[in-house]
Amino acid sequence: MPVKQHAMDSSDKQRSHLKADCANCFGLCCAALPFAVSADFAVDKQAGQPCTHLQTDFRCGVHAQLRQLGFRGCTVYDCFGAGQHLSQVTYGGQDWRQTPDRAQEMFDAFPIMRHLHELLWYLSEALTLKPASGMREALSEALDKTERLTRLSPGELLALDAGAHRAEVNLLLLRTSELVREDALRRYPAASKRRKTYSRGADLIGAKLQGADLRGANLRGAYLIAANLRGADLRGADLIGADLRDAELHGADLTESLFLTQAQLNSAKGDASVKLPPILSRPAHWSSR
Ligand code: SF4
């Protein structure tokens, strides 16, 4: 029995609303967030300072050349739909250029909303996972509570202890992960004989994991930067918070990976041979081979 349905179910459809819709956002990530000169950004920018490439219509003026111009970080970032929610729901279509006296408030609220939307992404996924069906009530309650928090007024959002809410949700996600990974190890006995186990935040930078059987592995918060995961089997592996920057995913099976996000995929290297969950998209910059 697969860990989750391959066709998109209602929770997956709900998750499709948790994807960035830049056409309905007032360029919040391009103004609110700071960045520093690095492999990901060509220039320095302070928080609250609009990027010089952000046009008056809130579109990026260099969208088609981001990677060539050194803005790789912009092609990786994903707001989980927080930008359009804050723009259209919280602020009812008022943008920070029309109402400059509220600009700082909007910029401060943006990371909090993103935080909540990221939790909605994980909780919605958890609700699709059959081994965690016994947790459906608790997960649904947490999802409802998180959705209610996204409807707070700007002032209430700024006063919210988002860290405390995240800690509550994390306990549920952790238990969900345990149930799903235990199920994966039962279904794949060969994986349960794997000697290697990983603790949270494992240092796997540049690790040679080509063809590795990582089914049901705990890779929560693992540093997999530039790891060779070519042909690895990651079904049932928990990847929440794993750093996949420049990890090589060619031929890897991620179809049933847990808590994988579009931003993680965007930061990795891959091609048409990577097997993806249906909810996620193949990054445009991956090679077609
Ligand atoms: S380069 Fe484009 S996408 Fe990146 S911050 Fe500037 S306007 Fe936004």
Side-chain angles (χ1 to χ4, degrees):
M1 183 176 69
V3 172
K4 60 183 171 183
Q5 297 161 12
H6 287 275
M8 286 214 281
D9 65 12
S10 60
S11 291
D12 274 343
K13 283 188 185 127
Q14 182 178 13
R15 280 203 292 164
S16 63
H17 297 300
L18 297 171
K19 291 184 167 187
D21 175 8
C22 302
N24 281 304
C25 174
F26 299 130
L28 287 169
C29 62
C30 306
L33 304 180
F35 45 70
V37 171
S38 61
D40 286 333
F41 296 104
V43 296
D44 288 321
K45 184 181 95 55
Q46 302 293 317
Q49 174 194 344
C51 174
T52 53
H53 294 303
L54 186 64
Q55 301 178 150
T56 52
D57 62 358
F58 300 108
R59 302 295 176 97
C60 172
V62 294
H63 180 71
Q65 306 147 269
L66 283 168
R67 289 205 158 225
Q68 298 91 309
L69 295 177
F71 289 91
R72 186 175 76 154
C74 300
T75 67
V76 168
Y77 184 77
D78 182 27
C79 73
F80 296 97
Q84 69 259 27
H85 185 94
L86 203 69
S87 299
Q88 304 301 337
V89 179
T90 313
Y91 284 95
Q94 275 188 330
D95 70 66
W96 48 270
R97 283 196 169 115
Q98 287 170 321
T99 53
D101 53 320
R102 302 197 77 184
Q104 190 57 52
E105 181 191 76
M106 290 182 196
F107 299 156
D108 291 343
F110 175 65
I112 299 168
M113 186 62 77
R114 184 188 183 273
H115 203 75
L116 295 173
H117 272 235
E118 184 180 5
L119 295 180
L120 288 177
W121 175 269
Y122 297 136
L123 286 167
S124 301
E125 177 176 355
L127 280 163
T128 70
L129 302 169
K130 289 180 182 160
S133 56
M135 296 183 63
R136 174 161 280 276
E137 196 178 331
L139 290 167
S140 294
E141 278 174 16
L143 184 78
D144 291 346
K145 181 178 176 184
T146 309
E147 280 175 338
R148 281 197 302 278
L149 294 176
T150 67
R151 294 193 288 274
L152 292 176
S153 67
E156 290 168 328
L157 266 180
L158 293 178
L160 177 69
D161 186 347
H165 180 61
R166 184 174 192 113
E168 275 175 36
V169 171
N170 266 346
L171 291 177
L172 295 176
L173 298 179
L174 194 55
R175 182 63 191 138
T176 300
S177 169
E178 286 165 356
L179 291 169
V180 172
R181 287 185 291 107
E182 281 164 13
D183 179 75
L185 294 179
R186 266 196 302 274
R187 290 186 296 125
Y188 307 122
S192 69
K193 295 196 179 85
R194 183 184 56 236
R195 272 192 252 143
K196 195 93 183 151
T197 56
Y198 304 101
S199 53
R200 183 176 174 82
D203 181 354
L204 294 169
I205 297 172
K208 294 180 174 48
L209 295 167
Q210 184 166 7
D213 184 349
L214 295 168
R215 291 175 294 183
N218 181 4
L219 294 169
R220 295 173 73 85
Y223 292 94
L224 285 157
I225 300 165
N228 182 347
L229 287 161
R230 288 175 181 259
D233 193 340
L234 289 143
R235 287 176 289 169
D238 185 350
L239 287 166
I240 198 166
D243 192 336
L244 290 169
R245 277 177 293 167
D246 290 329
E248 296 176 33
L249 297 177
H250 313 68
D253 190 344
L254 295 154
T255 49
E256 292 173 10
S257 298
L258 266 185
F259 304 135
L260 181 66
T261 67
Q262 191 64 50
Q264 285 172 306
L265 279 186
N266 293 349
S267 72
K269 293 178 179 171
D271 61 12
S273 66
V274 184
K275 299 187 188 84
L276 298 175
I279 186 73
L280 296 175
S281 310
R282 201 169 298 280
H285 57 267
W286 281 8
S287 63
S288 52
R289 283 181 298 147

